[in-house]
Amino acid sequence: MVSRASDDAADAARPPAPAEGEAAVELIGIGKRFGSVVANDGVDLVLRRGTVHAVMGENGAGKSTLMSMLFGLLEPDSGEIRVEGRPVRFAGPLDAIAAGLGMVHQHFRLFDTMSVADNVVYGAEPRRRGLFGKAFVDRRAADARVRELAARYGLDTDPAAVVGSLSAGARQRVEILKALHRDARILILDEPTAVLTPSEVDSLFAVIRRAADAGTTVVLVTHKIHEVLAVSDEVTVLRDGRVTGRFATRDASAAELVRAMTGRAIAEVKNPGTGTPGETVLEVEGLSVSDGRRTVVSDVSLSVRRGEIVGIAGVSGNGQHELVAAVLGTLGVAAGRVRLAGADVTGASVRDRRARGLAVIPEDRRGEGSAVTMTVAENAALGHHRSAPIGASTGIRRGWMSLKAERSQARELIADYDVRTSGEQQLIGSLSGGNAQKVVVARELAHQAPLLIAEQPTQGVDVGAIGAIHGRLLDYRAAGNGILLVSHEISELLALADRVLVMYGGAIVASFTAAEATTERIGAAMAGAAAADPTEASDAAPDPAAPDLTAPDPTAPRSTAPHPTAPHDGDRA
Amino acid sequence: MTAPPETTSAAPAKASSRGRRLATAALRHPAVVPIGAVVLALLIGAVIILAAGLDPITAYTAVIQNSLDPGQLDYTFSVWAFICGMALAAAIPLRMGEFNLGGNGQLVLGGLTATVIASSLPLPSIVLIPLAVIGAAIVAGAFGAISAPLATRFGIPIIISTLLLSPVAVAVVSYLVRFPLGEAGSAVAQTTRLPEGARMWALGDLSYSNAGLIIIVLLMVVFWVVDSRTAVGFELRVVGANRRFGAYGGVRVGRLALGAMAAAGAAAGVVGAVIVMSSPFRLIDGALISPGYTFAGLAAALLAGGRPALIPVTAILFTILQVGGAGMERSADVPRQLSDVLQGVVIVVLALRTVLDQRRTERSSA
Ligand SMILES: Nc1ncnc2c1ncn2[C@@H]1O[C@H](COP(=O)(O)OP(=O)(O)OP(=O)(O)O)[C@@H](O)[C@H]1O
Ligand SMILES: [Mg+2]
């Protein structure tokens, strides 16, 4: 997935003219340390007006740190920042915003319970003159402002929607609107695509190009080379806090970028497709889940066998996450059964399910997969804390924990997965995004559970680490375990899955074997009803393959509209 | 290689040319809010004393002198232990992010149970005293535990149900002390004195400190060990740090809340039992509540952020306020209620922090 789509995508979307604006931002000799960790070391970076500048680098290379300094969240230890020619020292993000900068963070910073419009104008609200002076927010003006910005930049959003109910892509758009609302002339995007589906990425890039053409300067931090080639004008590569490469995008190749990032070439990992699947470890039968207002998973049946990776594709918000939550047991089901290794666990607790051999890499790393205020060691221990060597499940030590074992396990994990940290006692919240992800992946893989559910397992990790994690997932499969892989990256599904199911509107609408699966077919099925028929999707292929027999027959008449309401007997939490 | 979390999370301490930046950096240090709360409370107290036309320096000196008076140490220690006990009742649920505001109800139920057992069972002290303490812990623990299913089953937040249930228990105990269990012919609503065999073992010839205080200190040690060394303590901390993370990892959050609330109630119950089994060896209506151990304990627990190792220290602060308040009244003419005001300010500042933190974590993550 490193180089595949890159070249053609690049040719299609790259602007023909070379980037030639004057410098909007100059970072000169920037240095930053955290204790003993050197996050940035003499970094020079020039952003030209009206261009898109990509910043790449391995996890922990110092990209987020550099962007945080530019945005006034951190103060550089050394070096100078100039914005539009003037040296600046930002005491905080408010100064940066006043100087015309806007930032979309690696982790969303939105109020879930508030509306889109409220979030966008928060901190810079249009005021209404009234009895109490200008004490009240003018909501009508806020709505109008959001609509106007959305229309100007082609950001499709509903100002009245509550942020908590939005998909990742929609939240991303809210973050961008927030920056645009404050008239950002320089837009910093830190891994904006990590949680987006391909079509969401496409529309984001359209927005970025439109903004750049209108004179906005954009910095884009990303790990995805095809994105860099597709949308950027210039690229700067960081490694261990230093600049190791500068490229004009039209002269750069994927291989060169990878070498600058990692110092070596990256081998692609591919599921060999060997071995025969064993007994069934997960069986989901007619599963429906309701979120109280509507059915979010409707009548889903699927199974995962030992030695098999079953992929689930779909645009985010089509029920994949709820399906996973229902299998894990954090969400109640409205109808249907879940069986783990043959045992019905539909009403069982999360702990019982995990005890039967279930491990989960969750999509929401900060919200569900970790406790940011706890250490790496503590985060790595959850779920392992009641069994040897950290805890004990029987005997006199039952219920006790060995802090020594907790630390030594964490040290092993850090070494195994190449987690860049100052030690196992570092708070996981201060790790770089990709490194925190590695800790979560490592913790769950360590269970060696017969069934692993992996949701976006490589979100935020760099190309090298993606290869490493993919390799581990394949080893996990080869060891005779089953994996349910939920991913937005079609390339990831193509590289790893033995079968790919596509979810749309809460239902499984298509199923492909590895041999049948192509980007086009999966993409078409993800796009919805029109392409829900795999035979139609496979027309383009020379050999229209039959649908996978182990999955529900996708050609059967489907009672499920995009948001179907299946009859159910109330929530069984 | 193992940098303490404090240093890694705190903003850089390097000298900065920008005062504002340095100030924000310093303000992020975890100790700032608690210490700031105390300083602010003392300042507000000083303003009030000044407004009353008195001298804050004299008043505060009186507080310190009085509470640390060697002749009073025995009494001071007993107050410290009771505040520690009530801090425990607040800290255990606080560790998992829950607020137990029902300390008073749990306290009086403990006192009542111990009184009933101690005055009605004709057993030797070696059996009777532990039995009374354990009985108090069980009854008060059960009362505290009610709040857990109310939260899990019916969605009533623990902070609400403890607050609402507590006055009910207080009223019931008050009724029982006044009527069915009250001492006949007494002008005061109180039970009869406990028999000799049911009085807590004294420590030497000290008049306030007794074996009950040792029990409370031991409970603190147990909490510290459980918190840092056991799976349950780990789960408590995980849930306190991120409830969804805990649930995802297989922590039975409902059961944990049940255990935490039962343990919290039991701690308060033990304090109640020890108080009634100390001089004047009877349950007097209102006497368990009026010293304000519950509130002081809650403040100490909040100030310590629920961390077991810090509670003894923060409890000292409130002990000084509590004990010294009386001295202040005597030597500086400042009403002792001022110490309640100071405690109140500390709690308000800390509560404000909690609200702000929640506001911050409310922001979604990807
Ligand atoms: N607040 C902090 N305290 C301690 N160390 C930190 C802190 N913030 C960042 N670091 C360290 O600085 C280094 C650079 O981190 P940064 O977040 O900039 O990486 P990144 O390039 O954005 O990586 P990723 O691609 O994983 O997001 C890492 O080693 C990280 O652990
Ligand atoms: Mg980053």
Side-chain angles (χ1 to χ4, degrees):
Chain A
M1 52 173 314
V2 170
S3 56
R4 229 193 40 75
S6 53
D7 296 43
D8 32 34
D11 286 335
R14 195 189 305 139
E20 274 182 358
E22 77 266 36
V25 172
E26 292 155 273
L27 297 166
I28 303 156
I30 301 289
K32 180 75 188 173
R33 302 170 65 100
F34 294 103
S36 62
V37 178
V38 180
N40 279 170
D41 184 7
V43 174
D44 296 326
L45 182 66
V46 176
L47 310 175
R48 285 173 216 294
R49 167 156 317 140
T51 64
V52 179
H53 196 120
V55 175
M56 303 196 73
E58 291 183 298
N59 296 129
K63 307 178 295 293
S64 294
T65 304
L66 188 65
M67 295 304 125
S68 297
M69 287 188 287
L70 175 56
F71 194 57
L73 287 163
L74 292 171
E75 194 187 24
D77 294 342
S78 57
E80 187 177 294
I81 300 175
R82 290 195 196 147
V83 174
E84 285 153 4
R86 283 177 297 110
V88 292
R89 299 201 65 141
F90 297 140
L94 291 180
D95 288 1
I97 290 168
L101 283 98
M103 179 159 181
V104 176
H105 295 269
Q106 191 163 3
H107 312 290
F108 296 152
R109 301 191 171 198
L110 298 172
F111 295 109
D112 274 358
T113 51
M114 287 163 57
S115 75
V116 168
D118 286 346
N119 268 283
V120 169
V121 301
Y122 178 78
E125 299 91 347
R127 299 283 172 165
R128 187 155 51 88
R129 191 165 288 287
L131 203 52
F132 300 97
K134 288 192 152 194
F136 290 104
V137 175
D138 186 342
R139 282 176 197 279
R140 198 142 352 122
D143 276 15
R145 172 75 173 156
V146 172
R147 270 183 229 287
E148 181 241 321
L149 285 171
R152 178 155 20 122
Y153 291 95
L155 289 154
D156 169 31
T157 355
D158 169 13
V162 174
V163 164
S165 69
L166 298 179
S167 71
R171 288 181 201 209
Q172 191 69 262
R173 292 195 287 274
V174 177
E175 286 277 16
I176 295 171
L177 281 171
K178 224 167 83 181
L180 294 173
H181 166 60
R182 299 178 181 209
D183 299 317
R185 278 163 283 137
I186 299 148
L187 195 56
I188 307 168
L189 303 167
D190 192 356
E191 293 196 40
T193 59
V195 290
L196 300 192
T197 52
S199 61
E200 288 173 327
V201 171
D202 289 344
S203 48
L204 173 67
F205 284 178
V207 171
I208 290 179
R209 282 286 15 144
R210 198 168 310 178
D213 292 343
T216 307
T217 308
V218 182
V219 205
L220 173 73
V221 177
T222 179
H223 290 296
K224 297 172 188 163
I225 289 171
H226 60 272
E227 295 180 358
V228 169
L229 295 173
V231 78
S232 74
D233 301 303
E234 291 176 302
V235 190
T236 295
V237 177
L238 294 181
R239 173 146 43 111
D240 294 333
R242 292 203 193 90
V243 175
T244 53
R246 284 179 227 278
F247 305 88
T249 306
R250 53 202 183 104
D251 304 330
S253 74
E256 265 179 310
L257 291 175
V258 171
R259 215 167 308 117
M261 270 193 286
T262 63
R264 62 201 145 89
I266 300 287
E268 255 186 77
V269 183
K270 179 94 182 78
N271 186 338
T274 51
T276 41
E279 76 218 56
T280 304
V281 283
L282 170 69
E283 207 179 344
V284 172
E285 240 180 63
L287 188 77
S288 293
V289 177
S290 160
D291 70 355
R293 283 168 297 138
R294 58 191 183 86
T295 306
V296 285
V297 175
S298 92
D299 198 21
V300 165
S301 298
L302 61 86
S303 65
V304 179
R305 292 164 294 175
R306 284 182 177 277
E308 171 180 63
I309 299 181
V310 177
I312 294 194
V315 175
S316 71
N318 275 279
Q320 307 94 313
H321 181 69
E322 288 80 3
L323 170 65
V324 171
V327 174
L328 173 61
T330 49
L331 197 60
V333 306
R337 309 255 118 223
V338 177
R339 286 195 193 85
L340 284 173
D344 191 331
V345 295
T346 314
S349 69
V350 176
R351 183 181 296 190
D352 291 345
R353 297 180 198 219
R354 279 183 170 269
R356 286 191 186 280
L358 168 67
V360 179
I361 298 167
E363 170 182 53
D364 185 354
R365 177 178 64 236
R366 285 170 78 85
E368 186 168 29
S370 62
V372 291
T373 53
M374 297 182 89
T375 64
V376 171
E378 288 168 326
N379 271 282
L382 185 66
H384 300 281
H385 63 289
R386 284 182 182 275
S387 52
I390 296 176
S393 45
T394 53
I396 188 150
R397 292 204 49 83
R398 182 160 180 243
W400 292 86
M401 281 175 74
S402 156
L403 299 185
K404 230 174 88 190
E406 180 185 295
R407 286 201 205 110
S408 65
Q409 291 278 303
R411 276 197 294 266
E412 268 174 44
L413 172 158
I414 287 167
D416 265 14
Y417 283 78
D418 187 25
V419 179
R420 308 283 165 84
T421 153
S422 58
E424 76 280 0
Q425 299 293 83
Q426 188 176 351
L427 298 189
I428 200 167
S430 70
L431 249 51
S432 83
N435 283 303
Q437 180 68 16
K438 289 185 212 166
V439 174
V440 173
V441 169
R443 176 187 67 217
E444 296 302 312
L445 281 177
H447 284 293
Q448 283 296 323
L451 175 68
L452 171 73
I453 301 180
E455 264 187 292
Q456 323 298 344
T458 54
Q459 57 171 305
V461 306
D462 62 48
V463 274
I466 287 175
I469 291 176
H470 282 178
R472 283 176 194 272
L473 291 175
L474 290 176
D475 291 348
Y476 201 81
R477 166 189 180 275
N481 303 306
I483 299 179
L484 185 65
L485 172 69
V486 182
S487 181
H488 296 151
E489 302 268 353
I490 297 179
S491 55
E492 183 163 74
L493 294 166
L494 292 177
L496 298 180
D498 295 288
R499 292 188 286 135
V500 178
L501 312 178
V502 182
M503 275 186 89
Y504 179 77
I508 291 177
V509 294
S511 160
F512 306 97
T513 62
E516 298 161 3
T518 63
T519 309
E520 293 71 31
R521 289 183 193 179
I522 295 175
M526 280 166 64
D533 189 341
T535 50
E536 188 182 305
S538 54
D539 276 350
D543 159 26
D548 182 4
L549 293 176
T550 60
D553 180 5
T555 53
R558 212 160 292 105
S559 60
T560 52
H563 298 308
T565 40
H568 58 73
D569 48 18
D571 275 9
R572 203 168 13 185
Chain B
M1 153 212 62
T2 59
E6 247 67 354
T7 48
T8 51
S9 66
K14 231 183 155 189
S16 151
S17 55
R18 301 289 294 251
R20 224 168 113 204
R21 155 78 57 181
L22 198 66
T24 28
L27 276 176
R28 287 204 195 109
H29 194 277
V32 164
V33 176
I35 293 175
V38 173
V39 172
L40 190 67
L42 291 177
L43 286 179
I44 290 178
V47 169
I48 294 174
I49 299 169
L50 274 176
L54 301 163
D55 179 8
I57 307 280
T58 329
Y60 286 152
T61 318
V63 168
I64 301 281
Q65 269 171 357
N66 202 65
S67 55
L68 301 181
D69 173 6
Q72 275 235 63
L73 273 185
D74 169 31
Y75 173 65
T76 307
F77 173 67
S78 73
V79 171
W80 175 80
F82 293 144
I83 291 179
C84 277
M86 294 314 292
L88 211 50
I92 298 170
L94 190 60
R95 216 53 177 137
M96 66 175 291
E98 298 289 1
F99 291 85
N100 173 18
L101 298 185
N104 275 340
Q106 296 147 14
L107 183 70
V108 294
L109 278 183
L112 174 78
T113 311
T115 309
V116 169
I117 292 176
S119 55
S120 57
L121 297 182
L123 293 167
S125 356
I126 190 77
V127 184
L128 187 58
I129 292 174
L131 197 67
V133 172
I134 292 169
I138 291 174
V139 171
F143 179 65
I146 294 173
S147 293
L150 286 181
T152 341
R153 294 277 158 90
F154 305 106
I156 305 167
I158 287 181
I159 185 170
I160 304 285
S161 65
T162 51
L163 186 67
L164 295 183
L165 284 173
S166 179
V168 177
V170 171
V172 167
V173 171
S174 179
Y175 165 79
L176 292 175
V177 173
R178 272 165 207 278
F179 304 106
L181 301 176
E183 189 180 37
S186 162
V188 187
Q190 59 183 19
T191 61
T192 49
R193 274 163 85 90
L194 299 183
E196 289 282 346
R199 298 181 185 175
M200 191 53 83
W201 299 293
L203 294 177
D205 53 2
L206 296 176
S207 39
Y208 293 100
S209 303
N210 57 34
L213 308 188
I214 306 297
I215 298 177
I216 294 173
V217 172
L218 286 179
L219 289 181
M220 300 277 303
V221 175
V222 169
F223 176 45
W224 178 69
V225 171
V226 169
D227 180 79
S228 57
R229 294 295 143 94
T230 69
V232 169
F234 177 68
E235 292 178 353
L236 216 53
R237 286 182 285 127
V238 166
V239 172
N242 180 353
R243 188 166 289 249
R244 276 180 69 208
F245 178 47
Y248 146 89
V251 177
R252 296 162 174 144
V253 180
R255 266 193 222 193
L256 198 66
L258 188 75
M261 284 309 299
V270 169
V271 174
V274 173
I275 294 177
V276 297
M277 290 160 87
S278 307
S279 173
F281 310 110
R282 56 168 113 220
L283 179 58
I284 307 170
D285 187 27
L288 291 175
I289 298 173
S290 58
Y293 298 132
T294 307
F295 198 51
L298 177 65
L302 281 173
L303 198 56
R307 270 168 292 211
L310 288 184
I311 289 173
V313 182
T314 55
I316 289 178
L317 182 80
F318 290 99
T319 308
I320 291 176
L321 282 180
Q322 197 97 348
V323 178
M328 180 172 70
E329 192 167 51
R330 251 182 285 121
S331 30
D333 244 6
V334 177
R336 64 194 308 169
Q337 279 73 20
L338 184 73
S339 43
D340 296 341
V341 173
L342 300 190
Q343 289 178 22
V345 174
V346 170
I347 292 195
V348 167
V349 172
L350 294 175
L352 215 61
R353 193 245 319 241
T354 315
V355 170
L356 290 178
D357 278 355
Q358 262 165 13
R359 192 88 204 240
R360 214 172 298 149
T361 48
E362 207 186 278
R363 295 173 164 209
S364 63
S365 42

